[in-house]
Amino acid sequence: MTKDVLRVETILTTTEDVLRRHGLAKATVLDVARALGVSHGSVYRHFPSKAALRGAVTRRWLTRARAVLATIAASDDPAPERLSRWLTAAFESKRAKALDDPELFETYRTLAVEHTDVVEEHVTELLAQLRAIVEAGLASGDFAPTPPDVAARAVFDAVARFQHPLLASEWARPGIGAEFDGVLGLVVRGLLAR
Amino acid sequence: MTKDVLRVETILTTTEDVLRRHGLAKATVLDVARALGVSHGSVYRHFPSKAALRGAVTRRWLTRARAVLATIAASDDPAPERLSRWLTAAFESKRAKALDDPELFETYRTLAVEHTDVVEEHVTELLAQLRAIVEAGLASGDFAPTPPDVAARAVFDAVARFQHPLLASEWARPGIGAEFDGVLGLVVRGLLAR
DNA sequence: TGACTGACAGAATCCAGATTCTGTCAGTCA
DNA sequence: TGACTGACAGAATCTGGATTCTGTCAGTCA
């Protein structure tokens, strides 16, 4: 808020705040405008619709969530370890969010379902990170020859149970950690050169 | 209907019929009783509650769905092929149901969510079938040594994206077949002895 | 001059009264 | 005698009139 002019970033931050405080249903454009101390017409100056505003918030949330994983993907650990760390971090951070603040997680889950296009971008980015790890493993000879994009997709799909927000309700079950380890082991063994 | 007395099987069949015709919301105990030509009090003579009736219908549906898979699990194909056939059949039959009659599938999906206990029985049974295949593979030396129950669970979890009813909406996407093949290959390679 | 306001129409959502359903049980009837 | 009925209370669901929201735009004001 360095300037008095209403800025896109300010609107997004305030919207996140309203979402956190009051939940999805009560986060109307009017509410956001009230929280900003402006009329709702002003919000429409920066976003063409309520859907666009929500989409932008969703995109920002997913981009932040991806940052940690990008660091791991770009590390120079051996590919099998790097893959394990990446998949574990992806699961653990999502799981922590879902368990720490279920209502906020549910809010963003609903937003994600509403904005399929934004989620698709996110998935594409995640797949690119996975492909980079697979390519490193192919180059080092750790992984058996395979088309990297197909392998990345297969790994991503295989951990869907521990990634897909629709299945989040099962992440609180006691045995879930062991189950994740089981799939992780299976997946890594499936990639390794023999 | 060999006898005039109201029988449990008759009630279940009629309930399925009402569900198919009118959907979940309109399938009240009163509706089922009307379809049977009896008073709703008679239905309560055989089922203690509406939930119990719905649970019984769900159980019957899942039991039927499992029968095909049981045949494959008990076949004497080599374990890797048998596993592929089992997983493919599990995916294809569910996918066919979801695409052929989306409304009926949605009905049973909701029922499954309502009756977690019944679904758990079902999953336990499926895991037992998978474990039998894994054990065959261990005995033949096709699969690398591993605790069969852990491996069965890992395989089951890895194909969640192609099995979990909550993700059914994605089974209509064009690339889904290739994605399934990718995971199937990864999983089988993960089990194979080296 | 251009960021912002607020009145407005049509769409979406809310709420309270009316209807329907669940589960029980005393009573019927074959 | 026991399978079945139907009236009943309380819970759940529906409905349509009242309220709130979305998206637009002519007008204000700094």
Side-chain angles (χ1 to χ4, degrees):
Chain A
M1 297 209 197
T2 40
K3 269 182 80 186
D4 272 12
V5 214
L6 189 56
R7 288 184 311 146
V8 166
E9 289 299 309
T10 313
I11 298 177
L12 288 180
T13 305
T14 304
T15 306
E16 279 178 358
D17 212 52
V18 173
L19 283 171
R20 191 173 299 113
R21 282 177 208 272
H22 307 293
L24 195 53
K26 297 284 169 196
T28 67
V29 175
L30 226 36
D31 287 318
V32 172
R34 267 194 285 267
L36 283 162
V38 300
S39 79
H40 75 289
S42 298
V43 175
Y44 279 99
R45 165 164 295 277
H46 297 278
F47 294 94
S49 67
K50 182 186 177 186
L53 172 59
R54 288 180 163 203
V57 169
T58 309
R59 176 175 289 110
R60 214 165 78 145
W61 185 61
L62 292 176
T63 305
R64 270 201 300 259
R66 225 159 44 219
V68 197
L69 297 178
T71 323
I72 300 179
S75 79
D76 52 4
D77 288 0
E81 282 82 340
R82 210 193 305 175
L83 182 61
S84 293
R85 278 182 57 214
W86 193 93
L87 291 173
T88 306
F91 175 44
E92 284 303 335
S93 69
K94 223 174 218 177
R95 181 163 174 259
K97 272 176 202 143
L99 299 187
D100 285 359
D101 192 339
E103 284 163 39
L104 188 61
F105 186 82
E106 175 59 20
T107 294
Y108 278 106
R109 200 190 64 65
T110 309
L111 282 174
V113 171
E114 255 174 33
H115 301 278
T116 318
D117 49 336
V118 177
V119 174
E120 259 169 39
E121 280 173 35
H122 178 63
V123 168
T124 304
E125 264 298 318
L126 290 178
L127 284 175
Q129 293 187 16
L130 271 177
R131 196 183 54 238
I133 302 179
V134 170
E135 278 166 352
L138 292 173
S140 67
D142 284 317
F143 292 159
T146 177
D149 51 345
V150 175
R153 179 87 227 182
V155 170
F156 186 75
D157 288 341
V159 297
R161 173 157 146 68
F162 310 98
Q163 277 296 314
H164 204 298
L166 282 179
L167 307 182
S169 58
E170 293 177 15
W171 300 344
R173 292 185 8 170
I176 194 78
E179 287 166 13
F180 175 77
D181 291 341
V183 173
L184 179 61
L186 188 66
V187 161
V188 173
R189 252 174 286 130
L191 287 175
L192 286 179
R194 39 194 67 234
Chain B
M1 299 213 196
T2 39
K3 269 181 81 186
D4 272 10
V5 232
L6 190 55
R7 287 182 313 145
V8 167
E9 288 300 310
T10 313
I11 297 179
L12 288 180
T13 305
T14 303
T15 306
E16 279 179 357
D17 211 52
V18 173
L19 283 171
R20 190 172 300 113
R21 282 177 208 271
H22 307 293
L24 195 52
K26 298 283 171 196
T28 67
V29 175
L30 227 36
D31 286 320
V32 172
R34 268 194 284 269
L36 284 162
V38 299
S39 80
H40 75 289
S42 298
V43 175
Y44 279 98
R45 163 164 298 277
H46 298 278
F47 294 94
S49 68
K50 184 187 174 185
L53 172 59
R54 288 180 164 204
V57 169
T58 310
R59 177 174 289 112
R60 214 165 78 147
W61 184 62
L62 292 176
T63 305
R64 271 202 299 258
R66 227 159 43 219
V68 195
L69 298 178
T71 324
I72 299 179
S75 79
D76 52 5
D77 288 0
E81 282 81 342
R82 210 194 303 176
L83 181 61
S84 294
R85 278 183 57 214
W86 193 93
L87 291 173
T88 306
F91 176 44
E92 283 304 335
S93 69
K94 223 174 218 177
R95 182 162 174 261
K97 271 175 203 144
L99 299 188
D100 285 358
D101 192 339
E103 285 163 38
L104 187 61
F105 187 81
E106 175 60 19
T107 294
Y108 278 106
R109 200 190 64 66
T110 309
L111 283 174
V113 171
E114 255 174 33
H115 301 278
T116 318
D117 50 335
V118 177
V119 174
E120 260 170 40
E121 280 175 36
H122 178 63
V123 168
T124 304
E125 263 297 320
L126 291 178
L127 285 175
Q129 293 187 14
L130 271 177
R131 196 182 54 240
I133 301 179
V134 171
E135 278 165 352
L138 291 173
S140 67
D142 284 316
F143 292 158
T146 178
D149 50 345
V150 175
R153 179 86 226 183
V155 170
F156 186 75
D157 288 341
V159 296
R161 174 155 147 68
F162 311 99
Q163 275 297 315
H164 204 298
L166 281 179
L167 307 182
S169 57
E170 293 177 15
W171 301 344
R173 292 184 11 169
I176 195 76
E179 287 166 12
F180 175 77
D181 291 340
V183 173
L184 179 60
L186 188 66
V187 161
V188 173
R189 252 174 285 129
L191 288 176
L192 285 180
R194 39 195 64 233

